Amino acid sequence: MATDELIRLFTDEKRARVFAAVALGAATPAEAAETAGLTVREAATALRRLREQGVVTDGDGGALGVAYDAFRERVRARAAQEAAPDAGGDPTLRTFVRDGRLVRLPRQWTRKKLVLRHIAEQSFEPGVEYPERAVDDRLRAWCEEDGEVDHVTLRRYLVDLHHLHRSAGVYRTARAA
């Protein structure tokens, strides 16, 4: 799903509210409707569209769930597209970021700053506040399971380099601070 399609999907308030209800743990259409403050019919219509676009799934026993992998794949695809040689990507980024994943952090400080700035720009929108859990989820998408860099290290670097500002457990980009 293209970024524009994803954005359009969530421009509908009912779909956004139903998606949030599922993310908060609503396991059935009735629970999603109640949590979202909608009728069951409105929630069912929103859920149908969310399922069609692959952002909500029916998990174990038919319980609703967020398709986090779909979002991770979108982040990886976007990063890979921007770092691709034919897209004019920076050679440093092509070396250290592959398929939207951080292979490793460069040892050279100037290259490390470049890669970290790229991760910050691709992961966080200006003017949006993120709780720590959301920051961790976004940064985990960049990290290999058993890689040398984990999301906590990335978060610390991003704060230390002022790509993110933290206040009372809420993070925002430097451009929005």
Side-chain angles (χ1 to χ4, degrees):
M1 170 186 306
T3 302
D4 290 344
E5 292 175 58
L6 188 61
I7 291 169
R8 278 192 295 275
L9 182 66
F10 290 109
T11 58
D12 180 81
E13 182 182 348
K14 291 176 184 174
R15 285 193 296 255
R17 289 168 61 181
V18 169
F19 180 82
V22 172
L24 291 171
T28 66
E31 288 176 10
E34 183 179 337
T35 303
L38 301 171
T39 67
V40 174
R41 184 175 184 174
E42 291 172 322
T45 301
L47 279 169
R48 181 181 49 77
R49 184 82 164 106
L50 293 168
R51 284 181 180 123
E52 287 172 359
Q53 295 301 317
V55 297
V56 170
T57 61
D58 294 314
D60 297 332
L64 298 171
V66 172
Y68 292 105
D69 288 340
F71 290 99
R72 285 187 193 100
E73 286 303 315
R74 180 63 199 125
V75 167
R76 288 183 198 128
R78 181 176 170 191
Q81 179 184 12
E82 291 178 4
D86 58 333
D90 185 282
T92 299
L93 292 178
R94 288 194 310 265
T95 301
F96 296 100
V97 177
R98 291 194 195 121
D99 298 324
R101 305 283 279 193
L102 180 64
V103 177
R104 68 184 191 286
L105 278 175
R107 295 190 198 286
Q108 187 182 32
W109 188 241
T110 55
R111 289 180 176 180
K112 187 180 291 189
K113 290 191 303 187
L114 175 77
V115 169
L116 290 165
R117 185 180 72 227
H118 174 77
I119 290 171
E121 290 172 351
Q122 297 304 309
S123 302
F124 305 102
E125 296 293 326
V128 177
E129 293 184 345
Y130 299 91
E132 188 166 303
R133 183 174 179 182
V135 171
D136 288 348
D137 288 343
R138 287 170 179 263
L139 295 178
R140 271 190 198 99
W142 289 94
C143 301
E144 296 291 337
E145 286 268 332
D146 297 319
E148 70 178 53
V149 180
D150 63 4
H151 68 283
V152 176
T153 302
L154 288 179
R155 188 182 67 218
R156 184 174 54 244
Y157 274 126
L158 293 177
V159 171
D160 289 349
L161 292 172
H162 305 288
H163 292 301
L164 290 178
H165 292 286
R166 179 179 184 214
S167 177
V170 176
Y171 293 79
R172 56 188 72 72
T173 62
R175 292 169 280 174

